[in-house]
Amino acid sequence: MARLPRKSGAFLSALACSSLLLVSLRAQQPAAPAQPSADQPAGRGGQRGERGGQPAGQPGAQPAAPPAKPLIPVATNTVNANPDAYYGQGVTITAAVDQVLSKSAFAVDQRRVAGAPAPGKPTDVLVLVPNLQSPVDPKSYVTVMGDLIKFDPAEVAKRAKDYKLDLPAEVAAKYSGRPALIANSVITDKFVDLAKRLPPPMTADEESLSKVMKQLPPALAALRTAVDGSKAEDAAKQAAVLRQGFADAEAFWKPKKADATQWAHDARVKVEGIQAAITAGKWEEAKAAVPAVQQVCGTCHNTYRERFDDGSYRIKTGGPGQRN
């Protein structure tokens, strides 16, 4: 098997330091709900989100997610020397790609940096990447992050339910009972995470719709505030922005999808009802109608918007995983 050319200590140190910095920052920051993109309207009940929700502190609100456990930086030889100390822990390893084993698995090893291994002692660690989006370069250093387990196909199936292990039988036998990392991040020396599903470039249609959608969340939030405060001028201004935005969305979807066209139409009609209530000074009626607009938005988004791992969105007009 061909071996990786010797890398400079400075390069590996820089990569390891950057990895440790990332781990440190993650450990210091409390977990927070994912923030919506600029074109994501408020969810039901006033909290912005993919499927809506209740404002924090309100009845029915979801409890805050527990803080993420910090990752433990380890070396491959350390893991192999005392694996029981790390099983079930989140770890990060910066090492050379020793061998590519399948489309979603490879081994990493630091023996070229740390020196010759002890006779008969394995120094490599199996890395399984259920969401690997691009192949690893067999002549590179990577930083892998995830949970360390004792390798067993049944344990892998339990930990990664949608992952189909694709190791050849002889390779699976070789690593049986040894440390294996189920990785959720594989960061290259160019700081690209190969395990993240990133969006393709926007199409012209997506650019067009995005310009419309980005106007709606701030207008909807401002409308709620204005209606709650019975501020007729501000409420009328924001309602006009929303009405035009939904009219544009309706025109966008009309040659494409009948249900999305209908949802945009319904949202526009509901906004027109809010405009009439504002003009008549019927503020309670206007307040009651705002959540209905949000609900229509959420219905369309859940069907025709696809979220990627960087938090951005693209139009989804086909089945699952299919775009325009």
Side-chain angles (χ1 to χ4, degrees), residues 133-183:
Q133 303 297 315
S134 302
V136 295
D137 182 352
K139 298 179 179 180
S140 67
Y141 284 88
V142 293
T143 296
V144 291
M145 304 178 187
D147 295 326
L148 196 75
I149 66 167
K150 179 184 290 187
F151 178 68
D152 175 72
E155 181 67 13
V156 173
K158 184 171 70 174
R159 298 263 185 162
K161 298 185 185 304
D162 297 327
Y163 174 47
K164 184 176 181 180
L165 187 65
D166 59 354
L167 285 176
E170 64 275 12
V171 175
K174 172 186 174 183
Y175 286 98
S176 180
R178 288 178 50 187
L181 182 68
I182 300 180

mmCIF file of all heavy atoms in Angstrom, residues 133-183:
data_model
loop_
_atom_site.group_PDB
_atom_site.id
_atom_site.type_symbol
_atom_site.label_atom_id
_atom_site.label_comp_id
_atom_site.label_asym_id
_atom_site.label_seq_id
_atom_site.Cartn_x
_atom_site.Cartn_y
_atom_site.Cartn_z
ATOM 1 N N GLN A 133 -20.206 13.427 1.677
ATOM 2 C CA GLN A 133 -20.698 14.019 0.437
ATOM 3 C C GLN A 133 -19.669 13.981 -0.686
ATOM 4 O O GLN A 133 -20.022 13.983 -1.863
ATOM 5 C CB GLN A 133 -21.115 15.471 0.684
ATOM 6 C CG GLN A 133 -22.164 15.629 1.761
ATOM 7 C CD GLN A 133 -23.469 14.949 1.422
ATOM 8 O OE1 GLN A 133 -23.967 15.056 0.302
ATOM 9 N NE2 GLN A 133 -24.047 14.236 2.384
ATOM 10 N N SER A 134 -18.398 13.952 -0.327
ATOM 11 C CA SER A 134 -17.316 13.910 -1.311
ATOM 12 C C SER A 134 -16.252 12.948 -0.802
ATOM 13 O O SER A 134 -16.038 12.842 0.406
ATOM 14 C CB SER A 134 -16.709 15.298 -1.518
ATOM 15 O OG SER A 134 -17.676 16.229 -1.925
ATOM 16 N N PRO A 135 -15.560 12.255 -1.708
ATOM 17 C CA PRO A 135 -14.537 11.297 -1.258
ATOM 18 C C PRO A 135 -13.345 12.002 -0.632
ATOM 19 O O PRO A 135 -13.008 13.134 -0.993
ATOM 20 C CB PRO A 135 -14.153 10.573 -2.550
ATOM 21 C CG PRO A 135 -14.522 11.511 -3.654
ATOM 22 C CD PRO A 135 -15.719 12.259 -3.176
ATOM 23 N N VAL A 136 -12.698 11.323 0.297
ATOM 24 C CA VAL A 136 -11.486 11.875 0.902
ATOM 25 C C VAL A 136 -10.309 11.634 -0.032
ATOM 26 O O VAL A 136 -10.290 10.679 -0.802
ATOM 27 C CB VAL A 136 -11.205 11.249 2.275
ATOM 28 C CG1 VAL A 136 -12.286 11.617 3.263
ATOM 29 C CG2 VAL A 136 -11.050 9.741 2.166
ATOM 30 N N ASP A 137 -9.353 12.524 0.055
ATOM 31 C CA ASP A 137 -8.113 12.369 -0.695
ATOM 32 C C ASP A 137 -7.193 11.436 0.089
ATOM 33 O O ASP A 137 -6.859 11.718 1.243
ATOM 34 C CB ASP A 137 -7.457 13.738 -0.866
ATOM 35 C CG ASP A 137 -6.178 13.694 -1.688
ATOM 36 O OD1 ASP A 137 -5.701 12.578 -1.999
ATOM 37 O OD2 ASP A 137 -5.643 14.773 -1.994
ATOM 38 N N PRO A 138 -6.780 10.302 -0.494
ATOM 39 C CA PRO A 138 -5.929 9.359 0.250
ATOM 40 C C PRO A 138 -4.539 9.912 0.555
ATOM 41 O O PRO A 138 -3.781 9.279 1.282
ATOM 42 C CB PRO A 138 -5.860 8.148 -0.681
ATOM 43 C CG PRO A 138 -6.154 8.668 -2.039
ATOM 44 C CD PRO A 138 -7.115 9.800 -1.839
ATOM 45 N N LYS A 139 -4.197 11.056 0.011
ATOM 46 C CA LYS A 139 -2.896 11.664 0.281
ATOM 47 C C LYS A 139 -3.084 12.992 1.012
ATOM 48 O O LYS A 139 -2.594 14.027 0.593
ATOM 49 C CB LYS A 139 -2.132 11.890 -1.028
ATOM 50 C CG LYS A 139 -1.834 10.604 -1.792
ATOM 51 C CD LYS A 139 -1.091 10.896 -3.076
ATOM 52 C CE LYS A 139 -0.775 9.607 -3.837
ATOM 53 N NZ LYS A 139 -0.055 9.870 -5.101
ATOM 54 N N SER A 140 -3.849 12.949 2.093
ATOM 55 C CA SER A 140 -4.151 14.198 2.781
ATOM 56 C C SER A 140 -4.255 13.985 4.287
ATOM 57 O O SER A 140 -4.311 12.853 4.769
ATOM 58 C CB SER A 140 -5.481 14.762 2.267
ATOM 59 O OG SER A 140 -6.561 13.909 2.646
ATOM 60 N N TYR A 141 -4.266 15.108 5.008
ATOM 61 C CA TYR A 141 -4.571 15.115 6.427
ATOM 62 C C TYR A 141 -5.997 15.625 6.593
ATOM 63 O O TYR A 141 -6.439 16.517 5.863
ATOM 64 C CB TYR A 141 -3.607 16.024 7.190
ATOM 65 C CG TYR A 141 -2.245 15.433 7.394
ATOM 66 C CD1 TYR A 141 -1.247 15.609 6.440
ATOM 67 C CD2 TYR A 141 -1.948 14.698 8.533
ATOM 68 C CE1 TYR A 141 0.010 15.065 6.614
ATOM 69 C CE2 TYR A 141 -0.685 14.150 8.721
ATOM 70 C CZ TYR A 141 0.291 14.328 7.761
ATOM 71 O OH TYR A 141 1.526 13.788 7.946
ATOM 72 N N VAL A 142 -6.700 15.072 7.563
ATOM 73 C CA VAL A 142 -8.070 15.500 7.841
ATOM 74 C C VAL A 142 -8.268 15.604 9.347
ATOM 75 O O VAL A 142 -7.523 15.014 10.132
ATOM 76 C CB VAL A 142 -9.110 14.513 7.268
ATOM 77 C CG1 VAL A 142 -9.097 14.503 5.745
ATOM 78 C CG2 VAL A 142 -8.903 13.103 7.826
ATOM 79 N N THR A 143 -9.279 16.359 9.733
ATOM 80 C CA THR A 143 -9.744 16.375 11.115
ATOM 81 C C THR A 143 -11.131 15.753 11.122
ATOM 82 O O THR A 143 -12.037 16.237 10.430
ATOM 83 C CB THR A 143 -9.811 17.805 11.670
ATOM 84 O OG1 THR A 143 -8.492 18.349 11.710
ATOM 85 C CG2 THR A 143 -10.397 17.827 13.065
ATOM 86 N N VAL A 144 -11.281 14.665 11.863
ATOM 87 C CA VAL A 144 -12.564 13.969 11.932
ATOM 88 C C VAL A 144 -13.153 14.160 13.320
ATOM 89 O O VAL A 144 -12.437 14.150 14.326
ATOM 90 C CB VAL A 144 -12.421 12.473 11.595
ATOM 91 C CG1 VAL A 144 -12.089 12.286 10.132
ATOM 92 C CG2 VAL A 144 -11.366 11.796 12.457
ATOM 93 N N MET A 145 -14.459 14.341 13.382
ATOM 94 C CA MET A 145 -15.159 14.566 14.645
ATOM 95 C C MET A 145 -16.380 13.665 14.705
ATOM 96 O O MET A 145 -17.101 13.523 13.714
ATOM 97 C CB MET A 145 -15.606 16.025 14.771
ATOM 98 C CG MET A 145 -14.502 17.041 14.644
ATOM 99 S SD MET A 145 -15.147 18.734 14.741
ATOM 100 C CE MET A 145 -13.666 19.675 14.350
ATOM 101 N N GLY A 146 -16.615 13.065 15.856
ATOM 102 C CA GLY A 146 -17.785 12.214 16.013
ATOM 103 C C GLY A 146 -17.708 11.390 17.272
ATOM 104 O O GLY A 146 -16.974 11.719 18.216
ATOM 105 N N ASP A 147 -18.465 10.292 17.316
ATOM 106 C CA ASP A 147 -18.545 9.434 18.495
ATOM 107 C C ASP A 147 -17.706 8.185 18.294
ATOM 108 O O ASP A 147 -17.785 7.533 17.245
ATOM 109 C CB ASP A 147 -19.992 9.039 18.766
ATOM 110 C CG ASP A 147 -20.855 10.235 19.124
ATOM 111 O OD1 ASP A 147 -20.327 11.162 19.761
ATOM 112 O OD2 ASP A 147 -22.044 10.250 18.761
ATOM 113 N N LEU A 148 -16.945 7.836 19.309
ATOM 114 C CA LEU A 148 -16.103 6.653 19.244
ATOM 115 C C LEU A 148 -16.847 5.444 19.808
ATOM 116 O O LEU A 148 -17.442 5.531 20.890
ATOM 117 C CB LEU A 148 -14.808 6.865 20.023
ATOM 118 C CG LEU A 148 -13.703 5.854 19.718
ATOM 119 C CD1 LEU A 148 -13.075 6.144 18.360
ATOM 120 C CD2 LEU A 148 -12.631 5.861 20.803
ATOM 121 N N ILE A 149 -16.817 4.331 19.073
ATOM 122 C CA ILE A 149 -17.470 3.106 19.507
ATOM 123 C C ILE A 149 -16.508 1.932 19.310
ATOM 124 O O ILE A 149 -15.496 2.056 18.615
ATOM 125 C CB ILE A 149 -18.770 2.830 18.713
ATOM 126 C CG1 ILE A 149 -18.437 2.550 17.231
ATOM 127 C CG2 ILE A 149 -19.755 3.972 18.844
ATOM 128 C CD1 ILE A 149 -19.593 1.976 16.437
ATOM 129 N N LYS A 150 -16.843 0.805 19.920
ATOM 130 C CA LYS A 150 -16.152 -0.447 19.610
ATOM 131 C C LYS A 150 -16.833 -1.000 18.366
ATOM 132 O O LYS A 150 -18.041 -1.228 18.363
ATOM 133 C CB LYS A 150 -16.258 -1.439 20.762
ATOM 134 C CG LYS A 150 -15.569 -2.768 20.483
ATOM 135 C CD LYS A 150 -15.774 -3.763 21.618
ATOM 136 C CE LYS A 150 -14.989 -3.331 22.843
ATOM 137 N NZ LYS A 150 -15.051 -4.377 23.912
ATOM 138 N N PHE A 151 -16.056 -1.224 17.306
ATOM 139 C CA PHE A 151 -16.671 -1.550 16.024
ATOM 140 C C PHE A 151 -17.399 -2.885 16.064
ATOM 141 O O PHE A 151 -16.843 -3.930 16.412
ATOM 142 C CB PHE A 151 -15.637 -1.593 14.898
ATOM 143 C CG PHE A 151 -16.244 -1.986 13.576
ATOM 144 C CD1 PHE A 151 -17.129 -1.148 12.928
ATOM 145 C CD2 PHE A 151 -15.955 -3.220 12.996
ATOM 146 C CE1 PHE A 151 -17.712 -1.505 11.721
ATOM 147 C CE2 PHE A 151 -16.528 -3.595 11.793
ATOM 148 C CZ PHE A 151 -17.401 -2.732 11.161
ATOM 149 N N ASP A 152 -18.666 -2.807 15.698
ATOM 150 C CA ASP A 152 -19.538 -3.965 15.551
ATOM 151 C C ASP A 152 -20.672 -3.525 14.632
ATOM 152 O O ASP A 152 -21.293 -2.483 14.885
ATOM 153 C CB ASP A 152 -20.095 -4.401 16.904
ATOM 154 C CG ASP A 152 -21.112 -5.525 16.761
ATOM 155 O OD1 ASP A 152 -20.715 -6.658 16.464
ATOM 156 O OD2 ASP A 152 -22.321 -5.248 16.939
ATOM 157 N N PRO A 153 -20.948 -4.248 13.543
ATOM 158 C CA PRO A 153 -22.000 -3.818 12.611
ATOM 159 C C PRO A 153 -23.342 -3.560 13.281
ATOM 160 O O PRO A 153 -24.055 -2.618 12.911
ATOM 161 C CB PRO A 153 -22.082 -4.990 11.623
ATOM 162 C CG PRO A 153 -20.698 -5.564 11.626
ATOM 163 C CD PRO A 153 -20.227 -5.436 13.046
ATOM 164 N N ALA A 154 -23.696 -4.349 14.292
ATOM 165 C CA ALA A 154 -24.968 -4.134 14.986
ATOM 166 C C ALA A 154 -24.962 -2.815 15.747
ATOM 167 O O ALA A 154 -25.970 -2.089 15.777
ATOM 168 C CB ALA A 154 -25.234 -5.296 15.942
ATOM 169 N N GLU A 155 -23.824 -2.488 16.358
ATOM 170 C CA GLU A 155 -23.715 -1.223 17.075
ATOM 171 C C GLU A 155 -23.757 -0.037 16.119
ATOM 172 O O GLU A 155 -24.367 0.998 16.406
ATOM 173 C CB GLU A 155 -22.422 -1.196 17.895
ATOM 174 C CG GLU A 155 -22.208 0.067 18.712
ATOM 175 C CD GLU A 155 -23.211 0.220 19.844
ATOM 176 O OE1 GLU A 155 -23.923 -0.758 20.162
ATOM 177 O OE2 GLU A 155 -23.275 1.323 20.423
ATOM 178 N N VAL A 156 -23.125 -0.190 14.960
ATOM 179 C CA VAL A 156 -23.167 0.866 13.942
ATOM 180 C C VAL A 156 -24.604 1.097 13.488
ATOM 181 O O VAL A 156 -25.059 2.238 13.360
ATOM 182 C CB VAL A 156 -22.272 0.507 12.740
ATOM 183 C CG1 VAL A 156 -22.466 1.528 11.613
ATOM 184 C CG2 VAL A 156 -20.810 0.442 13.157
ATOM 185 N N ALA A 157 -25.337 0.014 13.252
ATOM 186 C CA ALA A 157 -26.734 0.129 12.808
ATOM 187 C C ALA A 157 -27.588 0.825 13.861
ATOM 188 O O ALA A 157 -28.512 1.581 13.532
ATOM 189 C CB ALA A 157 -27.290 -1.256 12.494
ATOM 190 N N LYS A 158 -27.291 0.591 15.126
ATOM 191 C CA LYS A 158 -28.056 1.224 16.205
ATOM 192 C C LYS A 158 -27.738 2.704 16.314
ATOM 193 O O LYS A 158 -28.620 3.522 16.563
ATOM 194 C CB LYS A 158 -27.742 0.516 17.518
ATOM 195 C CG LYS A 158 -28.560 1.025 18.705
ATOM 196 C CD LYS A 158 -28.384 0.143 19.933
ATOM 197 C CE LYS A 158 -26.983 0.278 20.512
ATOM 198 N NZ LYS A 158 -26.835 -0.472 21.782
ATOM 199 N N ARG A 159 -26.477 3.052 16.099
ATOM 200 C CA ARG A 159 -26.050 4.451 16.242
ATOM 201 C C ARG A 159 -26.386 5.302 15.025
ATOM 202 O O ARG A 159 -26.632 6.498 15.147
ATOM 203 C CB ARG A 159 -24.546 4.497 16.466
ATOM 204 C CG ARG A 159 -24.077 3.803 17.723
ATOM 205 C CD ARG A 159 -23.900 4.773 18.831
ATOM 206 N NE ARG A 159 -23.335 4.164 20.013
ATOM 207 C CZ ARG A 159 -22.777 4.848 20.988
ATOM 208 N NH1 ARG A 159 -22.707 6.163 20.896
ATOM 209 N NH2 ARG A 159 -22.301 4.240 22.046
ATOM 210 N N ALA A 160 -26.336 4.700 13.835
ATOM 211 C CA ALA A 160 -26.606 5.435 12.584
ATOM 212 C C ALA A 160 -27.680 4.662 11.823
ATOM 213 O O ALA A 160 -27.384 3.840 10.966
ATOM 214 C CB ALA A 160 -25.331 5.570 11.766
ATOM 215 N N LYS A 161 -28.923 4.935 12.157
ATOM 216 C CA LYS A 161 -30.041 4.097 11.708
ATOM 217 C C LYS A 161 -30.226 4.086 10.189
ATOM 218 O O LYS A 161 -30.669 3.094 9.629
ATOM 219 C CB LYS A 161 -31.330 4.542 12.406
ATOM 220 C CG LYS A 161 -31.272 4.400 13.925
ATOM 221 C CD LYS A 161 -32.604 4.724 14.556
ATOM 222 C CE LYS A 161 -32.529 4.711 16.076
ATOM 223 N NZ LYS A 161 -32.045 3.456 16.615
ATOM 224 N N ASP A 162 -29.929 5.191 9.525
ATOM 225 C CA ASP A 162 -30.143 5.254 8.078
ATOM 226 C C ASP A 162 -28.880 4.933 7.281
ATOM 227 O O ASP A 162 -28.863 5.085 6.054
ATOM 228 C CB ASP A 162 -30.649 6.647 7.678
ATOM 229 C CG ASP A 162 -32.006 6.955 8.299
ATOM 230 O OD1 ASP A 162 -32.800 6.005 8.462
ATOM 231 O OD2 ASP A 162 -32.264 8.130 8.620
ATOM 232 N N TYR A 163 -27.846 4.505 7.954
ATOM 233 C CA TYR A 163 -26.561 4.258 7.304
ATOM 234 C C TYR A 163 -26.430 2.781 6.935
ATOM 235 O O TYR A 163 -26.646 1.899 7.761
ATOM 236 C CB TYR A 163 -25.433 4.661 8.259
ATOM 237 C CG TYR A 163 -24.034 4.336 7.789
ATOM 238 C CD1 TYR A 163 -23.620 4.645 6.493
ATOM 239 C CD2 TYR A 163 -23.127 3.734 8.651
ATOM 240 C CE1 TYR A 163 -22.329 4.364 6.081
ATOM 241 C CE2 TYR A 163 -21.831 3.459 8.253
ATOM 242 C CZ TYR A 163 -21.439 3.773 6.956
ATOM 243 O OH TYR A 163 -20.160 3.490 6.536
ATOM 244 N N LYS A 164 -26.070 2.533 5.699
ATOM 245 C CA LYS A 164 -25.824 1.166 5.252
ATOM 246 C C LYS A 164 -24.315 0.954 5.195
ATOM 247 O O LYS A 164 -23.621 1.489 4.338
ATOM 248 C CB LYS A 164 -26.449 0.921 3.881
ATOM 249 C CG LYS A 164 -26.305 -0.526 3.413
ATOM 250 C CD LYS A 164 -27.015 -0.751 2.093
ATOM 251 C CE LYS A 164 -26.872 -2.207 1.645
ATOM 252 N NZ LYS A 164 -27.551 -2.462 0.348
ATOM 253 N N LEU A 165 -23.809 0.158 6.118
ATOM 254 C CA LEU A 165 -22.381 -0.109 6.188
ATOM 255 C C LEU A 165 -21.914 -0.786 4.902
ATOM 256 O O LEU A 165 -22.489 -1.786 4.475
ATOM 257 C CB LEU A 165 -22.090 -1.006 7.397
ATOM 258 C CG LEU A 165 -20.629 -1.255 7.743
ATOM 259 C CD1 LEU A 165 -19.954 0.033 8.182
ATOM 260 C CD2 LEU A 165 -20.535 -2.301 8.860
ATOM 261 N N ASP A 166 -20.877 -0.228 4.284
ATOM 262 C CA ASP A 166 -20.441 -0.749 2.983
ATOM 263 C C ASP A 166 -19.009 -1.287 3.013
ATOM 264 O O ASP A 166 -18.328 -1.324 1.984
ATOM 265 C CB ASP A 166 -20.580 0.329 1.896
ATOM 266 C CG ASP A 166 -19.771 1.592 2.204
ATOM 267 O OD1 ASP A 166 -19.201 1.677 3.316
ATOM 268 O OD2 ASP A 166 -19.723 2.485 1.343
ATOM 269 N N LEU A 167 -18.550 -1.706 4.174
ATOM 270 C CA LEU A 167 -17.206 -2.276 4.273
ATOM 271 C C LEU A 167 -17.161 -3.689 3.682
ATOM 272 O O LEU A 167 -18.074 -4.492 3.926
ATOM 273 C CB LEU A 167 -16.773 -2.362 5.739
ATOM 274 C CG LEU A 167 -16.363 -1.074 6.442
ATOM 275 C CD1 LEU A 167 -16.065 -1.364 7.893
ATOM 276 C CD2 LEU A 167 -15.169 -0.432 5.761
ATOM 277 N N PRO A 168 -16.116 -4.038 2.934
ATOM 278 C CA PRO A 168 -15.931 -5.436 2.517
ATOM 279 C C PRO A 168 -15.832 -6.327 3.752
ATOM 280 O O PRO A 168 -15.390 -5.900 4.825
ATOM 281 C CB PRO A 168 -14.615 -5.395 1.741
ATOM 282 C CG PRO A 168 -14.455 -3.974 1.305
ATOM 283 C CD PRO A 168 -15.072 -3.145 2.396
ATOM 284 N N ALA A 169 -16.245 -7.589 3.596
ATOM 285 C CA ALA A 169 -16.297 -8.512 4.733
ATOM 286 C C ALA A 169 -14.952 -8.657 5.427
ATOM 287 O O ALA A 169 -14.871 -8.675 6.663
ATOM 288 C CB ALA A 169 -16.816 -9.868 4.266
ATOM 289 N N GLU A 170 -13.875 -8.736 4.631
ATOM 290 C CA GLU A 170 -12.562 -8.932 5.245
ATOM 291 C C GLU A 170 -12.106 -7.699 6.023
ATOM 292 O O GLU A 170 -11.402 -7.801 7.029
ATOM 293 C CB GLU A 170 -11.516 -9.295 4.183
ATOM 294 C CG GLU A 170 -11.225 -8.223 3.129
ATOM 295 C CD GLU A 170 -12.198 -8.245 1.960
ATOM 296 O OE1 GLU A 170 -13.243 -8.933 2.074
ATOM 297 O OE2 GLU A 170 -11.924 -7.575 0.945
ATOM 298 N N VAL A 171 -12.518 -6.515 5.568
ATOM 299 C CA VAL A 171 -12.175 -5.289 6.287
ATOM 300 C C VAL A 171 -12.971 -5.202 7.586
ATOM 301 O O VAL A 171 -12.438 -4.844 8.646
ATOM 302 C CB VAL A 171 -12.439 -4.048 5.410
ATOM 303 C CG1 VAL A 171 -12.194 -2.765 6.203
ATOM 304 C CG2 VAL A 171 -11.554 -4.079 4.171
ATOM 305 N N ALA A 172 -14.265 -5.537 7.519
ATOM 306 C CA ALA A 172 -15.088 -5.543 8.728
ATOM 307 C C ALA A 172 -14.510 -6.504 9.760
ATOM 308 O O ALA A 172 -14.484 -6.211 10.966
ATOM 309 C CB ALA A 172 -16.523 -5.913 8.378
ATOM 310 N N ALA A 173 -14.033 -7.654 9.295
ATOM 311 C CA ALA A 173 -13.445 -8.641 10.213
ATOM 312 C C ALA A 173 -12.159 -8.090 10.836
ATOM 313 O O ALA A 173 -11.886 -8.302 12.029
ATOM 314 C CB ALA A 173 -13.169 -9.945 9.471
ATOM 315 N N LYS A 174 -11.363 -7.372 10.047
ATOM 316 C CA LYS A 174 -10.106 -6.820 10.544
ATOM 317 C C LYS A 174 -10.332 -5.839 11.694
ATOM 318 O O LYS A 174 -9.580 -5.825 12.682
ATOM 319 C CB LYS A 174 -9.368 -6.116 9.402
ATOM 320 C CG LYS A 174 -8.142 -5.330 9.844
ATOM 321 C CD LYS A 174 -7.550 -4.551 8.682
ATOM 322 C CE LYS A 174 -6.409 -3.637 9.156
ATOM 323 N NZ LYS A 174 -5.859 -2.825 8.047
ATOM 324 N N TYR A 175 -11.369 -5.010 11.583
ATOM 325 C CA TYR A 175 -11.607 -3.976 12.587
ATOM 326 C C TYR A 175 -12.587 -4.406 13.671
ATOM 327 O O TYR A 175 -12.903 -3.610 14.567
ATOM 328 C CB TYR A 175 -12.115 -2.700 11.908
ATOM 329 C CG TYR A 175 -11.032 -1.957 11.157
ATOM 330 C CD1 TYR A 175 -10.889 -2.107 9.789
ATOM 331 C CD2 TYR A 175 -10.146 -1.126 11.829
ATOM 332 C CE1 TYR A 175 -9.885 -1.445 9.096
ATOM 333 C CE2 TYR A 175 -9.142 -0.457 11.146
ATOM 334 C CZ TYR A 175 -9.011 -0.619 9.782
ATOM 335 O OH TYR A 175 -8.010 0.038 9.105
ATOM 336 N N SER A 176 -13.092 -5.615 13.617
ATOM 337 C CA SER A 176 -14.059 -6.083 14.611
ATOM 338 C C SER A 176 -13.499 -5.936 16.026
ATOM 339 O O SER A 176 -12.384 -6.378 16.329
ATOM 340 C CB SER A 176 -14.412 -7.542 14.345
ATOM 341 O OG SER A 176 -15.337 -8.012 15.302
ATOM 342 N N GLY A 177 -14.269 -5.286 16.896
ATOM 343 C CA GLY A 177 -13.851 -5.098 18.283
ATOM 344 C C GLY A 177 -12.851 -3.998 18.508
ATOM 345 O O GLY A 177 -12.431 -3.754 19.645
ATOM 346 N N ARG A 178 -12.445 -3.303 17.456
ATOM 347 C CA ARG A 178 -11.472 -2.225 17.571
ATOM 348 C C ARG A 178 -12.170 -0.864 17.564
ATOM 349 O O ARG A 178 -13.349 -0.758 17.204
ATOM 350 C CB ARG A 178 -10.454 -2.309 16.435
ATOM 351 C CG ARG A 178 -9.476 -3.468 16.575
ATOM 352 C CD ARG A 178 -8.522 -3.515 15.385
ATOM 353 N NE ARG A 178 -7.901 -2.206 15.122
ATOM 354 C CZ ARG A 178 -7.139 -1.953 14.061
ATOM 355 N NH1 ARG A 178 -6.904 -2.926 13.163
ATOM 356 N NH2 ARG A 178 -6.615 -0.762 13.887
ATOM 357 N N PRO A 179 -11.469 0.214 17.923
ATOM 358 C CA PRO A 179 -12.088 1.537 17.928
ATOM 359 C C PRO A 179 -12.517 1.975 16.523
ATOM 360 O O PRO A 179 -11.797 1.750 15.545
ATOM 361 C CB PRO A 179 -10.981 2.450 18.464
ATOM 362 C CG PRO A 179 -10.036 1.545 19.164
ATOM 363 C CD PRO A 179 -10.093 0.241 18.448
ATOM 364 N N ALA A 180 -13.688 2.574 16.453
ATOM 365 C CA ALA A 180 -14.195 3.133 15.199
ATOM 366 C C ALA A 180 -14.895 4.441 15.517
ATOM 367 O O ALA A 180 -15.567 4.570 16.544
ATOM 368 C CB ALA A 180 -15.157 2.166 14.516
ATOM 369 N N LEU A 181 -14.713 5.400 14.651
ATOM 370 C CA LEU A 181 -15.313 6.720 14.837
ATOM 371 C C LEU A 181 -16.461 6.894 13.851
ATOM 372 O O LEU A 181 -16.255 6.801 12.641
ATOM 373 C CB LEU A 181 -14.259 7.809 14.608
ATOM 374 C CG LEU A 181 -14.706 9.254 14.819
ATOM 375 C CD1 LEU A 181 -15.004 9.515 16.288
ATOM 376 C CD2 LEU A 181 -13.642 10.219 14.325
ATOM 377 N N ILE A 182 -17.672 7.111 14.355
ATOM 378 C CA ILE A 182 -18.794 7.473 13.492
ATOM 379 C C ILE A 182 -18.781 8.992 13.376
ATOM 380 O O ILE A 182 -19.134 9.707 14.317
ATOM 381 C CB ILE A 182 -20.138 6.978 14.059
ATOM 382 C CG1 ILE A 182 -20.115 5.455 14.201
ATOM 383 C CG2 ILE A 182 -21.290 7.401 13.153
ATOM 384 C CD1 ILE A 182 -21.398 4.872 14.755
ATOM 385 N N ALA A 183 -18.317 9.483 12.244
ATOM 386 C CA ALA A 183 -18.005 10.912 12.089
ATOM 387 C C ALA A 183 -19.184 11.701 11.545
ATOM 388 O O ALA A 183 -19.888 11.259 10.632
ATOM 389 C CB ALA A 183 -16.799 11.081 11.168
#
